[in-house]
Amino acid sequence: MHGLHLTADLLDCCCDQTLLTDTGALAAVCRAETLAAGLTVVSELFHRFPAPDTAPAGITGVLLLAESHLAVHTWPELRGVTLDAYVCNYSADNSARAEALIEALLAHFQPQRLCRNRLQRGALMQPPS
């Protein structure tokens, strides 16, 4: 259970609108950056929600990783994105890979406003002192 869980809330993203509304484009970027970070994609699912009225529809996408997961949610009407990357450190420390993945995705979305969180997981698994 030891690992690093990173989240980021992005607003006012300056990226091309396609990245927020096209499942193929979003999946391709997530897959490429995950592999470039040295993480292992096991499976994936990207779902585009029905468009409300005339507003563009958002996407939820998940890459299942051998090391854990990447989840991405887009809100095109807000030019917003949430990112969630969790890597376990069972056989190797994957923290730097998770950090690299988030940084690469931030470069693609180009948010003007950003809130990040970092959580070390597995505290209950620490041996008592």
Side-chain angles (χ1 to χ4, degrees):
M1 290 176 50
H2 294 283
L4 178 62
H5 196 159
L6 302 172
T7 65
D9 299 341
L10 293 58
L11 280 174
D12 302 325
C13 294
C14 294
C15 61
D16 187 295
Q17 181 79 358
T18 305
L19 195 53
L20 303 175
T21 59
D22 182 280
T23 55
L26 181 61
V29 164
C30 289
R31 192 179 317 108
E33 295 302 350
T34 299
L35 295 173
L39 296 167
T40 311
V41 178
V42 174
S43 188
E44 66 181 67
L45 177 62
F46 285 77
H47 173 77
R48 184 171 186 235
F49 290 93
D53 301 323
T54 58
I59 299 169
T60 289
V62 177
L63 292 183
L64 177 63
L65 308 178
E67 299 83 6
S68 197
H69 73 265
L70 168 69
V72 180
H73 309 277
T74 71
W75 282 269
E77 69 278 13
L78 302 173
R79 298 206 57 84
V81 177
T82 59
L83 301 173
D84 177 334
Y86 174 47
V87 293
C88 65
N89 293 329
Y90 179 70
S91 60
D93 187 347
N94 292 298
S95 299
R97 293 180 179 101
E99 297 277 6
L101 174 57
I102 292 294
E103 290 304 317
L105 292 174
L106 290 174
H108 281 281
F109 290 113
Q110 304 169 35
Q112 299 304 296
R113 294 188 288 160
L114 172 64
C115 177
R116 297 180 189 219
N117 291 288
R118 179 185 183 93
L119 177 64
Q120 291 294 329
R121 305 291 302 265
L124 292 176
M125 300 300 291
Q126 298 292 333
S129 28

